[in-house]
């Protein structure tokens, strides 16, 4: 039946098939992006809940430890104990804040989608320029 079609009809058919293929590829990439966003949201909620719980427990533990250190040294070196406890807590807080900032700068959102889109672009450019 393709032999009875004219060049314009074959060109139109090829254009429709190309458009259909592009739409299917776009839909696949969009579904991948949505799936990654849902996974990232679930991961962030879990991280936020665990971080909140760990912060509460750490604050209670540090408060108790600081109180214990101050009570032990109350008669002889109370100001030294208070200063040393404060310095250790502040230094630990600053180090953790720097670590969190470094982790926050890492790119993980839609990494797989961006990788697949780059691969698609590379394949299109390879077919467009066969000398590559």
């Amino acid at each position: 039946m393709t032999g009875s079609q004219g060049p314009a009809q074959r060109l139109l058919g090829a254009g429709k098939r190309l458009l259909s293929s592009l739409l299917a590829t776009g839909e696949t990439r969009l579904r991948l992006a949505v799936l990654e966003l849902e996974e990232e949201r679930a991961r962030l909620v879990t991280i936020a809940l665990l971080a909140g719980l760990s912060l509460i427990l750490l604050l209670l533990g540090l408060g108790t430890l600081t109180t214990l250190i101050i009570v032990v040294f109350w008669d002889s070196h109370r100001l030294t104990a208070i200063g040393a406890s404060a310095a250790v807590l502040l230094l630990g807080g600053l180090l953790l804040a720097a670590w969190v900032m470094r982790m926050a700068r890492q790119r993980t959102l839609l990494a797989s989608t961006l990788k697949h889109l780059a691969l698609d672009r590379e394949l299109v450019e390879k077919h467009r320029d066969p000398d590559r």
Side-chain angles (χ1 to χ4, degrees), residues 2-3 22 57 72 79 109 130:
T2 55
L22 287 174
L57 293 175
V72 167
L79 292 179
L109 186 63

Side-chain angles (χ1 to χ4, degrees), residues 36-47 109:
E36 281 189 78
L37 286 173
E38 289 173 353
E39 287 177 355
E40 188 68 20
R41 181 188 61 189
R43 187 181 78 84
L44 287 176
V45 167
T46 302
I47 286 173
L109 186 63

Side-chain angles (χ1 to χ4, degrees), residues 69-131:
I69 290 171
I70 292 171
V71 167
V72 167
F73 291 105
W74 187 257
D75 290 333
S76 59
H77 303 288
R78 81 184 90 168
L79 292 179
T80 305
I82 292 170
S85 297
V88 167
L89 292 174
L90 288 173
L91 180 64
L94 288 173
L95 290 174
L96 284 174
W99 183 45
V100 167
M101 291 301 293
R102 192 179 78 226
M103 285 178 60
R105 288 189 187 110
Q106 292 176 349
R107 250 178 111 173
T108 59
L109 186 63
L110 299 176
S112 182
T113 299
L114 293 173
K115 183 178 90 175
H116 282 87
L117 287 173
L119 180 64
D120 290 345
R121 185 181 63 235
E122 182 180 314
L123 289 173
V124 167
E125 288 175 358
K126 183 188 239 182
H127 287 291
R128 186 176 56 185
D129 186 17
D131 294 334

